[in-house]
Amino acid sequence: MQISFNRVQSLIMGFLMAMFGAVALAGAAEAQVTAFKQAVAEAASRDAEIAAFYKANDYKPLWTGTFGKDTQRRKALFQAIAEADIHGLPGKRYDAEGLMAKLKAANTPRARGLVEVEMSKVFVELAQNMQTGALVPSKIDSGIVRSIPYRERSSYLVNFAKSNPNSFFRALPPKTPEYARLMKAKLRFEKLIASGGFGETVSAASLKPGQSGNAVIALRNRLGAMGYLGRSVSPSYDAAMQKAVQEFQQDNGLVADGVAGAGTLKEINTSAADRLKSIIVAMERERWVNQERGRRHVLVNITDFSARIIDNGKVTFETRSVVGANDSERRTPEFSDVMEYLVINPTWNVPRSIATKEYLPMMQRNANAAGHLQLYDSRGRKVARSQINFSKYTERTFPYAIKQPPSKRNALGLVKFMFPNKYNIYLHDTPAKNLFSRETRAYSHGCIRLGDPFEFAYALLAKQSNDPKGEFHRHLKTGVETAVQLEQPVPVHLIYRTAFTDVKGGTHFRRDVYGRDAKIWNALQNAGVVLRAVQG
């Protein structure tokens, strides 16, 4: 069959037009990809870690693509933002509405590239906040010197790209039982606030068993709302109410005498909203220590005036403690370190701040003051006080070191527990035993005094000795300063919690002795955290 010249010409022209059309389409698509990548590179350039992530991935989209995985990531991100309030995080910080509006309006490759990077920035901030907290603690209070276990920001993007989106977000918050219980306590108090809180406050200076009247009825009703007292119509401060007051006192670190004195009533009258603030602050604090704490570790809660040894999540030893007094130079700092050894019959090397601010003025008035202390020159030689003209020195120029040799009167008692740190903080015995019977125990220069230091030592040494008590006392009887190494060093965590839980799910509260939690709440509130009231 013959084909005419015109027909051949027509076929050739059609083929050429189709070919050039395809090339044009491919060129247009390539131009769009290029515009998207250029926008991503430009927007990410102001954040080195995000820029590095996109460069390593050839500027491909993580959020704004059309594949099912991109859709899942977008949904997971917006869901996580919606649930930020549940974790006590500042939901408004992540601006879900603004982000969604920009996403919907992104109808050009460049616009999609710009919103792509913005979504990554929001994601990284949210992920980091969920995992290690929304605040930088050192900016809140100088006494919070904790090293936060921050992750590289780019690692969130890298790991998210390889993970199931919903599973990734679920894995971010602390996995400790304490965090889970605080979450439940938060929801419980939100529901309580929605239903009216604890009710009418108690208007009385103090109340005790046998009394009756409107104040007693208010106390009865408030204890009932808190869950300490069952249904009752009794108008008097009877045995049931006394027991309820005692339980409340125990849960709040008060002397459990069953009498509603001024201190107890102040705590009873604390609102449910203020208790919720403490819980939210505790959740933020739990995020700050979102790391392995050690199968065996020592936990000192400054506000609870307690020290505990924790083995595999269970308290195996507990004692009362005395912590730093509430002034700028004596408050106990918050940090974690590792206990390496204990010193039996310790020498007290008086810190320079104490030597120059407390003892120097005493010796300037009376050279023989504080006679239990010894002075040493810069070469370590003991110097007699008769050779020193104390009046010629100031805090800055005083050249002597002051020490107290081992004895029962030593300020450190007969044993100290060392986790060497730049703050010169440690745990130790003390001759001032009377302080442990007090309700509030903030009296030291910053170190933690233990109520049962010998028993604490036995518990530590039990892991490496068949006769820990005997070994301890053999060293003690010598009267000579002796360091005993711990074969397995023990992590020590100095924390500050005005709200914490127990294994049964109960919530306990403590006074904000240094005012740190009030500062943290204010910072959280300024960041956008709000108190919620949940119905039902």
Side-chain angles (χ1 to χ4, degrees):
M1 181 175 67
Q2 292 185 337
I3 302 175
S4 67
F5 175 78
N6 290 338
R7 177 61 175 159
V8 171
Q9 190 177 42
S10 177
L11 288 171
I12 291 172
M13 289 298 294
F15 171 76
L16 290 173
M17 290 178 66
M19 182 179 71
F20 284 121
V23 170
L25 288 173
E30 179 63 28
Q32 289 188 348
V33 171
T34 300
F36 175 85
K37 289 184 175 183
Q38 287 177 342
V40 169
E42 176 187 323
S45 64
R46 292 181 287 274
D47 189 311
E49 290 196 65
I50 291 179
F53 166 78
Y54 279 108
K55 182 178 180 181
N57 286 274
D58 193 30
Y59 301 98
K60 294 176 182 177
L62 186 66
W63 311 99
T64 57
T66 57
F67 296 105
K69 194 74 171 177
D70 301 85
T71 303
Q72 292 174 17
R73 291 173 184 143
R74 290 194 295 270
K75 289 176 65 175
L77 175 59
F78 283 107
Q79 182 64 30
I81 294 174
E83 294 176 355
D85 285 342
I86 297 174
H87 292 274
L89 292 171
K92 293 181 180 179
R93 171 183 284 185
Y94 318 112
D95 190 20
E97 291 184 6
L99 198 61
M100 181 63 78
K102 290 177 183 178
L103 188 61
K104 290 180 177 178
N107 51 16
T108 67
R110 175 174 174 76
R112 285 196 299 275
L114 296 178
V115 77
E116 167 75 27
V117 174
E118 184 154 354
M119 291 183 74
S120 286
K121 289 180 178 179
V122 170
F123 161 76
V124 168
E125 182 170 34
L126 174 61
Q128 191 173 60
N129 291 174
M130 290 179 71
Q131 192 166 52
T132 50
L135 304 176
V136 178
S138 59
K139 293 182 178 180
I140 307 302
D141 189 281
S142 60
I144 311 175
V145 292
R146 181 168 303 287
S147 178
I148 309 301
Y150 292 122
R151 282 70 165 177
E152 289 187 6
R153 296 171 69 252
S154 59
S155 70
Y156 291 110
L157 290 163
V158 171
N159 293 326
F160 185 69
K162 298 183 294 185
S163 303
N164 174 282
N166 292 318
S167 297
F168 180 89
F169 280 111
R170 284 196 296 269
L172 289 172
K175 290 293 171 279
T176 60
E178 175 68 3
Y179 190 80
R181 293 193 294 259
L182 286 168
M183 287 269 289
K184 291 180 180 179
K186 177 176 177 289
L187 179 59
R188 186 168 66 249
F189 272 79
E190 287 169 344
K191 290 180 178 179
L192 183 63
I193 291 170
S195 64
F198 296 144
E200 179 188 358
T201 57
V202 183
S203 298
S206 65
L207 295 170
K208 61 184 179 180
Q211 288 185 276
S212 60
N214 292 335
V216 171
I217 292 172
L219 175 61
R220 178 198 70 194
N221 295 341
R222 201 163 177 86
L223 289 169
M226 292 177 180
Y228 290 100
L229 192 63
R231 288 183 176 274
S232 173
V233 293
S234 173
S236 64
Y237 198 137
D238 56 17
M241 186 178 295
Q242 183 177 3
K243 182 182 178 182
V245 169
Q246 285 179 309
E247 290 177 356
F248 175 86
Q249 290 169 326
Q250 289 170 349
D251 283 351
N252 289 270
L254 309 172
V255 174
D257 57 9
V259 175
T264 294
L265 285 178
K266 183 177 180 180
E267 297 304 310
I268 286 175
N269 281 333
T270 299
S271 70
D274 283 340
R275 295 305 193 197
L276 177 57
K277 293 174 186 177
S278 295
I279 292 168
I280 292 173
V281 168
M283 292 172 67
E284 173 73 356
R285 285 181 168 280
E286 191 73 4
R287 290 187 285 266
W288 294 347
V289 287
N290 189 6
Q291 60 189 350
E292 177 58 42
R293 298 175 199 181
R295 294 181 64 183
R296 158 168 273 210
H297 63 269
V298 173
L299 188 69
V300 176
N301 186 357
I302 296 167
T303 67
D304 186 41
F305 310 112
S306 67
R308 298 177 174 91
I309 296 177
I310 313 291
D311 286 294
N312 298 314
K314 295 183 179 180
V315 178
T316 56
F317 181 83
E318 182 174 0
T319 184
R320 291 187 169 201
S321 69
V322 170
V323 302
N326 185 24
D327 68 50
S328 59
E329 296 184 357
R330 298 174 67 181
R331 299 183 188 109
T332 299
E334 302 169 44
F335 65 98
S336 295
D337 214 301
V338 179
M339 186 181 295
E340 300 174 3
Y341 61 97
L342 54 147
V343 179
I344 302 170
N345 297 313
T347 295
W348 183 35
N349 296 291
V350 182
R352 182 166 179 82
S353 60
I354 299 175
T356 58
K357 293 181 180 180
E358 296 185 23
Y359 289 120
L360 176 58
M362 291 170 59
M363 291 183 288
Q364 286 175 332
R365 293 189 295 269
N366 176 4
N368 295 315
H372 58 289
L373 301 176
Q374 299 173 353
L375 281 76
Y376 295 81
D377 64 18
S378 59
R379 298 174 63 182
R381 297 174 299 189
K382 186 176 178 180
V383 181
R385 296 185 185 219
S386 59
Q387 299 177 15
I388 302 173
N389 179 5
F390 292 102
S391 62
K392 66 183 287 189
Y393 298 114
T394 65
E395 287 184 21
R396 187 176 60 83
T397 62
F398 187 64
Y400 300 101
I402 299 179
K403 300 183 180 183
Q404 184 182 15
S407 75
K408 290 183 179 180
R409 292 184 58 208
N410 189 287
L412 306 183
L414 295 170
V415 61
K416 66 178 180 178
F417 306 87
M418 301 301 293
F419 40 105
N421 57 81
K422 62 183 178 181
Y423 314 108
N424 199 27
I425 297 295
Y426 44 87
L427 278 59
H428 65 88
D429 181 18
T430 176
K433 304 294 186 184
N434 62 306
L435 297 178
F436 293 103
S437 62
R438 301 189 182 184
E439 187 174 87
T440 299
R441 298 187 290 278
Y443 298 102
S444 81
H445 283 87
C447 287
I448 297 97
R449 306 174 189 174
L450 301 180
D452 301 294
F454 286 12
E455 290 76 7
F456 187 81
Y458 307 156
L460 290 173
L461 295 175
K463 290 287 186 179
Q464 64 191 59
S465 173
N466 293 326
D467 182 19
K469 184 174 181 180
E471 180 180 342
F472 179 85
H473 284 275
R474 280 193 296 274
H475 293 302
L476 185 65
K477 287 176 182 178
T478 67
V480 177
E481 184 173 73
T482 305
V484 178
Q485 298 293 323
L486 294 178
E487 293 177 4
Q488 294 183 342
V490 179
V492 178
H493 306 287
L494 308 186
I495 67 170
Y496 186 105
R497 300 289 175 87
T498 60
F500 56 93
T501 69
D502 58 44
V503 293
K504 295 181 180 179
T507 309
H508 304 261
F509 297 98
R510 296 294 183 267
R511 297 182 177 109
D512 189 5
V513 289
Y514 297 158
R516 288 177 184 166
D517 273 15
K519 292 180 181 179
I520 293 171
W521 169 252
N522 287 338
L524 286 171
Q525 194 171 36
N526 290 338
V529 173
V530 295
L531 295 183
R532 304 190 314 159
V534 177
Q535 299 288 342

